[in-house]
Amino acid sequence: MLTIPEKIAFLLLLLASFYFGGGALYRVYRAIRRGQPEDRFDRLPARLGRALWQTLTMQTVFKKRPWVSLLHAFVFYGFVFYLSVNLVDVLEGFFPFKARGGFWNGYNLVADLLTALILLGIVGLMIRRFSALGRKTFSWNEKTPLHEKVRQGIPRDSAIVAGFIFFHVGSRLLHKAAQAANLEHGPDPYQPVAWWASALFMGVDVDQIVILEHLFWWFALGSILLFIPYFARSKHIHLFLAPLNLAFKKEKPGALTPIAPDFEALEKMEKFGVARLEDFTWPRLLDAYSCIMCNRCQEVCPAYTTGKALSPSAILINERYELNRILPDFAAGRESPRPLLAFALNSESLWACTTCNACVEVCPVGNEPMLHILDVRREQVMMQGVFPAQLNNAFKGMERNGNPWNLGADKRLAWAEGLGFEVPTVEQNPEAEVLYWVGCAPAYDPRAQKTARAFAEILQASGLRWAVLGKREKCTGDAARRAGNEFLFMQLAAENVETLNAAMQARPKTIVTTCPHCFHTLANEYKDFGGHYQVKHHTEFIAELIGARKLELLPMKGEVTYHDPCYLGRHNGVFAPPRAVLQAAGLKLHEPVRHGPNSFCCGAGGAQFWKEEEPGQERVSTNRYRELKGTGASTIAVGCPFCMQMMNLETAQEPEGQAPQVLDISELVVQNLKRRPSDAAAD
């Protein structure tokens, strides 16, 4: 038990620690509150329950780096238990009792073993962080914009946090070891690690052991009180904020939130997008403080992987260091001193993002770096009028002719010419069960038109009543929105929703589309504009038709690899149906190393298809194609017209006869579709 002077000193230190540490945390809270409002409080009990489960199971951490995640788990679970350990140690210091015997035996055993695991985990993490491999993992290429304090700040912060954990837990172990060496208490068999460590004090007399007990108690608990004021500035703050970030994460981060509910509200707005920290909504600022700086998002980013300036982790880390630099003033409500493009990212990194959602999916603490980028794009396009020149043609095409190809609406049904049957429009078949949303690429691009024709044949063979919008269909606006042109997107969305709602009046229809970008926008984003539809991707729909025996396939032979489109897979979780179709066709599937949720982008998303790719070591599509070709499959199956184009861009570079063929899944199905007698007669 502590002496009276020690108790007084501890209480004074406790008050000082809570005063300075509490003040720092309160400033962080006020800084996050500076963010603009955003409703993330729906289904609050479910959100909190999900976050608690994800935190305690560490399922988001174990998505990648299993051995490193295991070391982190040792530290995490140890520190969760150490909340009670430290409290009991304080009580032992202030009151005349020892936590031994009975209930305390199990408690002491768990605490003792976790002490060893924490030390093992933190030593392993320190070795990794400061080894050559770690320095490579936790670094950036020379093109990536970095805050002036990052390069020195991160190693320093890592050393302080790791040093604190090692010192705190190590001191607690030595405190218990000194107790075990004290003949007054004797060794405790339920603290085997401390018992083993007590050998360090063999031959030390009783009076000195008592002094050591007190000294290590102070080291263990005093170090916490000294660390608390620094806590808010360190990455260790993620212990508190990461669970909150997981709770308030969007269900579909890629389903963007409108900047205004309608055009009337939009016209009254004086500011669009984000130029400075205070322009972000509060979840974006929470992202910056939740970031653990692990660079997992950077590892999976298509732009960074191919040598470009963009690093999702660098953006959040830069924001965090700037917030720490200006925290007192920012928390007090003063304007931040410089725009984001001066310290968080630059124009090159801003426009390199493919919006593939990989950074969001992999983040262990629920950060959404992609949304930071899109917020800044909105400001650049709608406030500054600054964007890659090539996008101007796509914008004009969508505005004037309802498609980024800038071709007339009279060409919308050109893809259907030469089919052995008439493609019905909604006017001709208002009672149709299925509305095929063709999309701009299948309507206007010669290669993608083959996909539209193949899927039309599948619909015809299924016996279902179906129709298309024909000339009334316009671009969904996906590319405009991802490029930051929210006004143009809202214009297209409003027109399409009006058209679709009118088409649904005679009979509600299932909308099916061969483009994942159209699928995502229609299903997830048109809800905000009054468009509530049942939308399916054509691979899902084909799988259902096969399952219902409305389609029958002849056995096929061959080997195929499947490329998961980002907007179908990661954004919407559709992984099994395309593979089910390939399996039903009898094809042997060879998965690339990166597939499913870990798939790699083709490079076309985020409006990249309509502009030149930023300079790097290679094109994103080249990186992906090399992996797909490496499976040895003779066919690359895709489910997206833009993925099709990007892969064909790569096959065109190959010597004749050496490249795998690239086919949409619908084309593979049509090749081996078992025709009904009526269909054959029609042909």
Side-chain angles (χ1 to χ4, degrees), residues 205-474:
D205 62 46
V206 175
D207 292 338
Q208 290 177 318
I209 285 181
V210 171
I211 293 173
L212 290 173
E213 279 187 67
H214 283 242
L215 184 64
F216 289 125
W217 186 95
W218 272 100
F219 285 169
L221 294 167
S223 61
I224 297 176
L225 301 183
L226 292 175
F227 182 75
I228 285 175
Y230 176 74
F231 178 78
R233 294 188 62 86
S234 76
K235 66 178 182 179
H236 215 46
I237 197 175
H238 78 274
L239 281 174
F240 290 168
L241 298 188
L244 292 176
N245 209 34
L246 289 168
F248 295 121
K249 181 179 178 180
K250 291 181 69 173
E251 182 179 353
K252 287 186 181 294
L256 305 185
T257 303
I259 60 175
D262 51 46
F263 283 105
E264 184 178 349
L266 187 69
E267 290 173 354
K268 295 178 180 178
M269 295 177 64
E270 297 180 356
K271 183 183 293 186
F272 306 106
V274 170
R276 296 173 181 269
L277 286 166
E278 58 267 30
D279 298 333
F280 278 127
T281 58
W282 64 265
R284 302 284 73 75
L285 298 178
L286 181 59
D287 279 348
Y289 276 108
S290 300
C291 180
I292 194 175
M293 308 178 189
C294 64
N295 278 9
R296 294 187 186 204
C297 56
Q298 177 176 282
E299 285 184 351
V300 299
C301 175
Y304 190 86
T305 301
T306 53
K308 298 171 179 63
L310 171 61
S311 165
S313 65
I315 293 173
L316 268 62
I317 292 169
N318 291 340
E319 292 170 2
R320 167 76 158 277
Y321 271 84
E322 182 73 357
L323 283 166
N324 278 347
R325 187 179 75 87
I326 64 173
L327 186 57
D329 289 342
F330 189 78
R334 296 184 182 89
E335 182 182 64
S336 58
R338 50 184 177 170
L340 290 160
L341 285 170
F343 67 88
L345 71 170
N346 59 19
S347 179
E348 187 176 337
S349 57
L350 174 66
W351 291 105
C353 178
T354 66
T355 67
C356 70
N357 206 46
C359 59
V360 178
E361 196 278 335
V362 79
C363 181
V365 295
N367 285 336
E368 301 160 337
M370 177 183 70
L371 301 186
H372 293 239
I373 295 168
L374 295 180
D375 281 342
V376 179
R377 283 186 180 181
R378 283 172 168 173
E379 194 274 340
Q380 286 291 287
V381 172
M382 301 183 70
M383 294 293 291
Q384 307 301 329
V386 176
F387 51 86
Q390 302 92 341
L391 288 176
N392 200 40
N393 293 329
F395 289 162
K396 287 181 180 178
M398 285 184 269
E399 185 177 356
R400 295 173 181 175
N401 284 307
N403 68 86
W405 271 265
N406 204 14
L407 298 174
D410 59 315
K411 302 292 185 182
R412 271 276 174 187
L413 279 170
W415 64 270
E417 295 174 1
L419 284 171
F421 51 86
E422 184 180 3
V423 172
T425 63
V426 170
E427 288 83 2
Q428 296 168 323
N429 191 5
E431 296 291 332
E433 306 164 71
V434 176
L435 175 63
Y436 174 27
W437 181 277
V438 181
C440 299
Y444 294 109
D445 179 74
R447 178 61 187 90
Q449 286 177 342
K450 295 180 181 179
T451 298
R453 293 165 64 86
F455 186 60
E457 289 189 52
I458 291 170
L459 288 171
Q460 192 71 6
S462 71
L464 295 170
R465 289 178 295 173
W466 63 285
V468 299
L469 288 175
K471 297 178 183 179
R472 296 168 59 194
E473 183 182 292
K474 291 188 175 183

Side-chain angles (χ1 to χ4, degrees), residues 7-27:
K7 291 179 182 179
I8 294 172
F10 184 83
L11 290 174
L12 291 174
L13 183 59
L14 179 69
L15 290 173
S17 178
F18 281 11
Y19 174 78
F20 290 107
L25 287 172
Y26 183 62
R27 283 192 292 273

